Amino acid sequence: MHEDMRALLNAYLDGELHGWRLLEVQNHLTSCESCRNELRELRAVSDLLRAAPLPEFTPAERFAANLALRLPRRPLKAQLQRGPSLTWWLAPLALMGLWFFVQTLIWLTTVLSLALSGGLLGESFSWISGSAAQSNLFAFLMNLFGGHLGTATQSTLSLLDRLVLFGNSLINQWFWQAIVALLYWLWMAVWWLRTRGRAFLPRLARA
Amino acid sequence: MALVKTVDTELGLIEQAQQGDRNAFGELVRRHYESVVHVVYRMCGEVQLAEDAAQEAFLRAWINLPSFEPRANLRNWLYRIAVNAALDVLRRKSETFVEDEETLMVSDQMPGPEETLIRKEQVELLQRALRNLPEASRSVLVLREYGELSYQEIASVLDIPIGTVMSRLNYARNRLREVLQSHAQEMENAHA
């Protein structure tokens, strides 16, 4: 107990103890003369250290002027950072370009599909749409069982297949856009962390 | 309000200096020179060594400034660099280091009653003892006594756990306390 308290005397002297630990040391000091003496001696050491006078130094103005003569023209790391920063700023531009490309592709596909289904393009582009709006899996199942599937089963399979086709189409349309958007937000988050966020993170971690 | 303005101005200076603005960096040097040179002087114990270490510290700060987070505490960052610079300067000069009697002398402006003389002697003794402490303990003690940093700040500056700060500080102050005790004992024996 006594040794534990002795180890805390410096922290007590420096005002670094709080709460129950502070009370514990204060209570111990009222009853322990040895610790009171030690605290007094530690305080004397601290006072004597701080009482040591300082000599004359070069004035700040002259020191700064002398230092300016020795400074390299620019911080070396700033020069190194200039290269990557261009690449860094190209990232959102590239993502926007990718998004524009995906949008154009989807738009063209939709227009072509509508034109095909409306018969506006005749037979010249029939290779694009295929012969039927059925998935490979559905065609495989039908071939496997020949024509032996019941009508109800065929209808259910057909409905499921259409749902799968709808899902695929949805994924094709939205998947790439979602990826691009996600990458863009990721870039924004990293940018924020690099510029302002790092100052707040330690505070959040301490909170 | 004035404090906020000062902080903002310093932030602006740091950002300008990070872009390579030498004038902005010069202003930062003028603002922090005194506290930096005082801390390194306590590490080195000699004016010339302290100014060499301070110069080296600010040169390193200039070079590494782009990696500094502008909203962090610049003074503490400079202390970290300065303590390392002081230790490097001391290591380089260790073979030729001769204690500068002029700087080890306590100011003669203190008048001369016996108690004051004893105190001057104790102050001088402790400054010598401080310079004989191991580097690790000396750094912690100097940052506490002369840099006036909290334990948390010292831990951050020296990149050590807060428990290590406490143990090194305990060691350093107890060592100096022993020096004072043995000196008092010698004085008693001499008078006996």
Side-chain angles (χ1 to χ4, degrees):
Chain A
M1 176 68 180
H2 178 72
E3 284 307 310
D4 291 347
M5 291 296 117
R6 281 189 65 203
L8 292 173
L9 288 179
N10 275 298
Y12 175 76
L13 177 67
D14 291 325
E16 293 275 347
L17 292 184
H18 308 282
W20 63 270
R21 267 198 156 168
L22 176 63
L23 287 173
E24 208 174 19
V25 173
Q26 281 174 336
N27 287 338
H28 178 75
L29 283 170
T30 55
S31 59
C32 180
E33 193 181 347
S34 156
C35 280
R36 278 201 303 275
N37 286 338
E38 186 164 332
L39 180 67
R40 193 167 49 246
E41 287 168 3
L42 289 171
R43 185 169 283 131
V45 166
S46 183
D47 290 345
L48 286 168
L49 281 172
R50 289 178 193 223
L54 283 163
E56 288 284 316
F57 293 104
T58 304
E61 198 65 42
R62 186 138 54 94
F63 178 87
N66 290 340
L67 184 76
L69 298 174
R70 296 194 56 194
L71 289 182
R73 193 160 177 77
R74 269 178 188 282
L76 297 176
K77 288 191 176 174
Q79 289 170 358
L80 289 175
Q81 279 179 357
R82 219 173 299 135
S85 69
L86 260 180
T87 320
W88 171 252
W89 283 108
L90 280 177
L93 289 177
L95 285 172
M96 284 170 75
L98 185 63
W99 179 80
F100 182 75
F101 173 74
V102 170
Q103 283 286 22
T104 311
L105 208 64
I106 291 169
W107 183 77
L108 275 175
T109 312
T110 312
V111 169
L112 270 176
S113 301
L114 284 173
L116 276 172
S117 59
L120 294 176
L121 297 176
E123 289 300 315
S124 49
F125 285 90
S126 60
W127 53 272
I128 292 176
S129 62
S131 55
Q134 288 176 336
S135 69
N136 290 334
L137 179 66
F138 182 76
F140 172 74
L141 284 173
M142 291 305 288
N143 286 334
L144 189 66
F145 292 102
H148 302 300
L149 289 172
T151 317
T153 318
Q154 277 192 33
S155 304
T156 314
L157 262 180
S158 179
L159 180 67
L160 284 174
D161 198 52
R162 279 175 191 284
L163 282 173
V164 170
L165 282 171
F166 177 74
N168 282 345
S169 158
L170 208 63
I171 287 169
N172 283 339
Q173 287 209 7
W174 294 106
F175 178 75
W176 288 109
Q177 293 194 73
I179 288 282
V180 171
L182 190 70
L183 285 173
Y184 188 79
W185 282 108
L186 197 65
W187 178 86
M188 291 284 284
V190 175
W191 173 80
W192 184 83
L193 281 176
R194 281 169 63 113
T195 52
R196 295 280 178 263
R198 256 182 294 173
F200 297 106
L201 285 182
R203 289 181 213 166
L204 287 175
R206 278 200 295 271
Chain B
M1 189 66 190
L3 179 66
V4 171
K5 192 176 178 185
T6 308
V7 170
D8 282 348
T9 311
E10 176 142 312
L11 186 63
L13 286 172
I14 292 168
E15 285 174 346
Q16 285 171 30
Q18 283 181 321
Q19 301 300 316
D21 185 331
R22 295 154 69 94
N23 291 332
F25 186 70
E27 179 56 30
L28 291 172
V29 171
R30 280 187 287 277
R31 287 183 182 198
H32 292 280
Y33 165 68
E34 199 173 286
S35 50
V36 166
V37 82
H38 287 178
V39 162
V40 289
Y41 170 71
R42 298 306 184 184
M43 293 289 297
C44 301
E46 192 185 324
V47 175
Q48 191 54 53
L49 284 182
E51 291 191 350
D52 287 351
Q55 190 172 60
E56 190 158 327
F58 281 113
L59 278 172
R60 288 182 195 177
W62 168 253
I63 289 167
N64 291 294
L65 200 58
S67 65
F68 174 72
E69 166 52 50
R71 288 176 190 274
N73 188 317
L74 180 67
R75 185 194 62 162
N76 290 357
W77 185 68
L78 288 173
Y79 277 164
R80 177 201 286 251
I81 298 173
V83 166
N84 288 326
L87 294 176
D88 289 346
V89 164
L90 280 177
R91 280 181 206 125
R92 280 204 298 272
K93 303 253 178 169
S94 60
E95 288 175 8
T96 55
F97 181 69
V98 178
E99 284 186 340
D100 182 352
E101 289 300 327
E102 186 190 343
T103 58
L104 284 175
M105 295 285 280
V106 176
S107 169
D108 284 336
Q109 290 169 355
M110 294 165 112
E114 194 180 354
E115 282 176 13
T116 312
L117 282 173
I118 291 171
R119 186 175 165 83
K120 278 169 64 179
E121 207 171 271
Q122 287 176 328
V123 167
E124 185 179 328
L125 189 72
L126 280 194
Q127 289 301 301
R128 286 179 197 275
L130 173 66
R131 280 187 281 280
N132 287 327
L133 284 175
E135 287 175 358
S137 309
R138 194 181 351 148
S139 305
V140 171
L141 187 62
V142 164
L143 287 174
R144 174 63 213 163
E145 299 289 4
Y146 303 109
E148 296 184 348
L149 300 190
S150 68
Y151 288 8
Q152 183 63 56
E153 286 174 317
I154 296 170
S156 165
V157 165
L158 298 178
D159 204 14
I160 53 176
I162 204 161
T164 309
V165 171
M166 292 174 78
S167 60
R168 286 182 185 174
L169 200 58
N170 279 349
Y171 171 82
R173 283 209 185 117
N174 283 325
R175 182 76 198 92
L176 298 189
R177 193 166 62 96
E178 285 165 13
V179 168
L180 274 184
Q181 282 172 344
S182 71
H183 176 69
Q185 192 65 48
E186 280 172 21
M187 295 290 285
E188 270 180 31
N189 293 341
H191 285 297

